Coordinates of all heavy atoms in Angstrom, one line a residue:
M631 N -9.0 4.1 2.3 CA -9.6 5.4 2.1 C -8.9 6.0 0.8 O -7.7 5.9 0.7 CB -9.3 6.3 3.2 CG -10.0 7.7 3.0 SD -9.5 8.9 4.2 CE -7.9 9.5 3.6
V632 N -9.7 6.4 -0.1 CA -9.2 7.1 -1.3 C -9.9 8.4 -1.4 O -11.1 8.4 -1.6 CB -9.4 6.2 -2.6 CG1 -8.9 7.0 -3.9 CG2 -8.8 4.9 -2.5
G633 N -9.2 9.5 -1.3 CA -9.8 10.8 -1.1 C -10.6 10.7 0.1 O -10.1 10.2 1.2
G634 N -11.8 11.1 0.2 CA -12.7 11.0 1.3 C -13.6 9.8 1.4 O -14.5 9.7 2.2
D635 N -13.3 8.9 0.5 CA -14.0 7.6 0.4 C -13.5 6.5 1.0 O -12.3 6.0 0.8 CB -14.1 7.4 -1.1 CG -15.4 6.4 -1.6 OD1 -16.2 6.2 -0.6 OD2 -15.5 6.1 -2.6
V636 N -14.3 6.0 2.0 CA -13.8 4.8 2.8 C -14.5 3.6 2.4 O -15.8 3.6 2.4 CB -14.0 5.0 4.4 CG1 -13.7 3.8 5.1 CG2 -13.2 6.3 4.8
R637 N -13.8 2.5 2.0 CA -14.4 1.3 1.6 C -13.9 0.2 2.2 O -12.7 0.0 2.5 CB -14.2 1.2 0.1 CG -14.7 2.3 -0.8 CD -16.3 2.3 -0.9 NE -16.8 1.1 -1.6 CZ -17.1 1.2 -3.0 NH1 -16.9 2.3 -3.6 NH2 -17.6 0.0 -3.5
D638 N -14.9 -0.9 2.5 CA -14.5 -2.2 2.9 C -13.8 -2.9 1.6 O -14.4 -2.8 0.6 CB -15.4 -3.1 3.4 CG -16.1 -2.6 4.7 OD1 -15.4 -2.0 5.5 OD2 -17.3 -2.8 4.9
V639 N -12.6 -3.5 1.8 CA -12.0 -4.3 0.7 C -11.6 -5.7 1.1 O -11.4 -6.0 2.3 CB -10.6 -3.5 0.2 CG1 -11.0 -2.2 -0.4 CG2 -9.7 -3.3 1.3
R640 N -11.6 -6.6 0.1 CA -11.2 -7.9 0.5 C -10.6 -8.6 -0.9 O -10.5 -7.8 -1.9 CB -12.5 -8.7 0.8 CG -13.5 -8.8 -0.4 CD -14.8 -9.5 0.2 NE -15.7 -9.7 -0.8 CZ -15.8 -10.8 -1.5 NH1 -14.9 -11.9 -1.3 NH2 -16.7 -10.9 -2.5
E641 N -10.2 -9.8 -0.7 CA -9.4 -10.5 -1.8 C -10.1 -10.2 -3.2 O -11.2 -10.4 -3.4 CB -9.3 -12.0 -1.5 CG -8.4 -12.3 -0.4 CD -8.5 -13.7 0.1 OE1 -8.9 -14.5 -0.7 OE2 -8.0 -13.9 1.3
R642 N -9.2 -9.8 -4.1 CA -9.4 -9.6 -5.5 C -10.1 -8.3 -5.8 O -10.3 -7.9 -7.0 CB -10.1 -10.8 -6.2 CG -9.3 -12.1 -6.1 CD -9.9 -13.3 -6.9 NE -11.1 -13.6 -6.2 CZ -11.3 -14.5 -5.2 NH1 -10.2 -14.8 -4.6 NH2 -12.5 -14.8 -4.7
D643 N -10.4 -7.4 -4.8 CA -10.8 -6.1 -5.2 C -9.8 -5.3 -5.8 O -8.6 -5.5 -5.5 CB -11.3 -5.4 -3.8 CG -12.7 -6.0 -3.3 OD1 -13.3 -6.6 -4.1 OD2 -13.0 -5.7 -2.2
L644 N -10.2 -4.4 -6.7 CA -9.2 -3.6 -7.3 C -9.4 -2.0 -6.9 O -10.6 -1.6 -6.8 CB -9.4 -3.6 -8.9 CG -9.3 -5.0 -9.5 CD1 -9.6 -4.9 -11.0 CD2 -7.9 -5.6 -9.3
I645 N -8.3 -1.3 -6.7 CA -8.4 0.0 -6.1 C -7.5 0.9 -6.9 O -6.2 0.6 -7.1 CB -8.0 0.1 -4.7 CG1 -8.9 -0.8 -4.0 CG2 -8.1 1.6 -4.1 CD1 -8.2 -1.7 -2.9
S646 N -8.0 2.0 -7.5 CA -7.1 3.0 -8.2 C -6.9 4.2 -7.4 O -7.9 4.8 -6.9 CB -7.8 3.4 -9.5 OG -7.8 2.3 -10.4
I647 N -5.6 4.6 -7.1 CA -5.4 5.8 -6.4 C -4.9 6.9 -7.4 O -3.8 6.8 -8.0 CB -4.3 5.7 -5.5 CG1 -4.4 4.3 -4.6 CG2 -4.0 6.8 -4.5 CD1 -5.3 4.3 -3.5
P648 N -5.8 8.0 -7.6 CA -5.4 8.9 -8.6 C -4.3 10.0 -8.1 O -3.9 9.8 -6.8 CB -6.7 9.8 -8.7 CG -7.7 9.0 -8.1 CD -7.1 8.1 -7.0
P649 N -3.7 10.8 -8.8 CA -2.6 11.7 -8.4 C -3.2 12.6 -7.3 O -4.3 12.9 -7.3 CB -2.4 12.5 -9.7 CG -3.0 11.8 -10.8 CD -4.0 10.9 -10.3
L650 N -2.3 12.9 -6.5 CA -2.5 13.9 -5.4 C -3.8 13.6 -4.5 O -4.5 14.6 -4.2 CB -2.5 15.3 -5.8 CG -1.1 15.8 -6.3 CD1 -1.3 17.3 -6.9 CD2 -0.1 15.7 -5.2
T651 N -4.0 12.4 -4.4 CA -5.3 11.9 -3.5 C -4.7 11.2 -2.2 O -4.0 10.2 -2.3 CB -6.0 10.9 -4.4 OG1 -6.3 11.6 -5.7 CG2 -7.3 10.5 -3.7
W652 N -5.3 11.6 -1.1 CA -4.9 11.0 0.2 C -5.4 9.6 0.2 O -6.5 9.3 -0.2 CB -5.6 11.9 1.3 CG -5.1 13.3 1.4 CD1 -5.9 14.3 1.2 CD2 -3.8 13.7 1.8 NE1 -5.2 15.5 1.4 CE2 -3.9 15.2 1.7 CE3 -2.7 13.1 2.1 CZ2 -2.7 15.9 2.0 CZ3 -1.6 13.9 2.5 CH2 -1.6 15.3 2.4
H653 N -4.6 8.8 0.7 CA -5.0 7.4 0.7 C -4.3 6.6 1.9 O -3.2 7.0 2.3 CB -4.6 6.7 -0.6 CG -3.2 6.7 -1.0 ND1 -2.7 7.9 -1.6 CD2 -2.2 5.8 -0.9 CE1 -1.4 7.6 -1.9 NE2 -1.0 6.4 -1.4
Q654 N -5.1 5.6 2.4 CA -4.5 4.8 3.5 C -5.1 3.4 3.3 O -6.3 3.3 3.0 CB -4.7 5.5 4.8 CG -4.0 4.7 6.0 CD -4.1 5.4 7.3 OE1 -5.3 5.8 7.7 NE2 -3.1 5.7 8.0
F655 N -4.3 2.4 3.9 CA -5.0 1.1 3.9 C -4.9 0.5 5.3 O -3.9 0.9 6.0 CB -4.1 0.0 3.1 CG -4.3 0.3 1.6 CD1 -3.4 1.2 0.9 CD2 -5.3 -0.4 0.9 CE1 -3.7 1.5 -0.5 CE2 -5.4 -0.2 -0.5 CZ -4.7 0.8 -1.1
R656 N -5.9 0.0 5.8 CA -6.0 -0.6 7.2 C -6.4 -1.9 7.2 O -7.4 -2.4 6.6 CB -6.9 0.3 8.1 CG -6.4 1.6 8.4 CD -7.4 2.5 9.3 NE -6.7 3.7 9.7 CZ -6.0 3.8 10.8 NH1 -5.8 2.9 11.6 NH2 -5.4 4.9 10.9
A657 N -5.8 -2.8 7.9 CA -6.1 -4.2 8.1 C -7.3 -4.3 9.0 O -7.4 -3.3 9.9 CB -5.0 -5.2 8.4
S658 N -8.1 -5.4 9.0 CA -9.0 -5.6 10.1 C -8.4 -5.9 11.4 O -7.2 -6.2 11.4 CB -10.0 -6.7 9.6 OG -9.5 -7.9 9.7
A659 N -9.2 -5.9 12.4 CA -8.5 -6.3 13.8 C -8.0 -7.7 13.7 O -7.0 -8.0 14.5 CB -9.5 -6.0 14.8
T660 N -8.6 -8.5 13.0 CA -8.3 -10.0 13.2 C -7.7 -10.6 11.9 O -7.1 -11.7 12.1 CB -9.6 -10.8 13.3 OG1 -10.5 -10.4 12.3 CG2 -10.3 -10.4 14.6
E661 N -7.6 -9.9 10.8 CA -7.0 -10.5 9.6 C -6.0 -9.5 9.0 O -6.2 -8.3 9.0 CB -8.0 -10.8 8.6 CG -8.9 -12.1 8.7 CD -9.5 -12.4 7.5 OE1 -8.9 -12.8 6.5 OE2 -10.8 -12.3 7.6
P662 N -4.9 -10.0 8.5 CA -4.0 -9.2 7.7 C -4.6 -8.7 6.5 O -5.6 -9.2 6.0 CB -2.8 -10.0 7.5 CG -3.4 -11.5 7.3 CD -4.5 -11.5 8.3
L663 N -4.0 -7.6 5.9 CA -4.4 -7.1 4.6 C -3.2 -7.1 3.7 O -2.3 -6.3 4.0 CB -5.0 -5.8 4.7 CG -5.5 -5.1 3.4 CD1 -6.8 -5.9 2.9 CD2 -5.9 -3.7 3.6
G664 N -3.2 -8.0 2.7 CA -2.1 -8.0 1.7 C -2.5 -7.6 0.4 O -3.6 -7.9 -0.1
F665 N -1.8 -6.7 -0.2 CA -2.1 -6.2 -1.5 C -1.0 -6.0 -2.5 O 0.2 -5.7 -2.0 CB -3.0 -5.0 -1.4 CG -2.3 -3.8 -0.7 CD1 -1.6 -2.9 -1.4 CD2 -2.5 -3.7 0.7 CE1 -0.9 -1.9 -0.7 CE2 -1.9 -2.7 1.3 CZ -1.1 -1.7 0.8
L666 N -1.1 -6.3 -3.8 CA -0.3 -5.9 -4.9 C -0.4 -4.5 -5.1 O -1.5 -3.9 -5.2 CB -0.6 -6.7 -6.1 CG -0.4 -8.1 -6.0 CD1 -1.0 -8.9 -7.2 CD2 1.0 -8.7 -5.8
C667 N 0.7 -3.7 -5.4 CA 0.6 -2.3 -5.8 C 1.6 -2.1 -6.9 O 2.7 -2.2 -6.7 CB 0.9 -1.5 -4.5 SG 0.9 0.3 -4.8
M668 N 1.0 -1.6 -8.0 CA 1.9 -1.4 -9.1 C 2.0 0.2 -9.2 O 1.2 1.0 -8.9 CB 1.2 -1.7 -10.5 CG 2.0 -1.4 -11.7 SD 1.5 -2.3 -13.2 CE -0.2 -1.7 -13.4
V669 N 3.4 0.6 -9.4 CA 3.7 2.0 -9.3 C 4.7 2.3 -10.3 O 5.5 1.4 -10.7 CB 4.1 2.3 -7.9 CG1 5.5 1.5 -7.7 CG2 4.2 3.7 -7.5

Side-chain angles (χ1 to χ4, degrees):
M631 187 188 80
V632 180
D635 198 9
V636 175
R637 299 287 294 265
D638 292 331
V639 291
R640 61 188 190 91
E641 287 169 19
R642 298 187 294 282
D643 285 345
L644 303 175
I645 301 132
S646 296
I647 314 281
L650 290 179
T651 303
W652 297 113
H653 57 281
Q654 187 176 55
F655 291 86
R656 289 182 172 268
S658 73
T660 55
E661 282 195 65
L663 182 67
F665 56 92
L666 298 170
C667 179
M668 188 163 61
V669 72

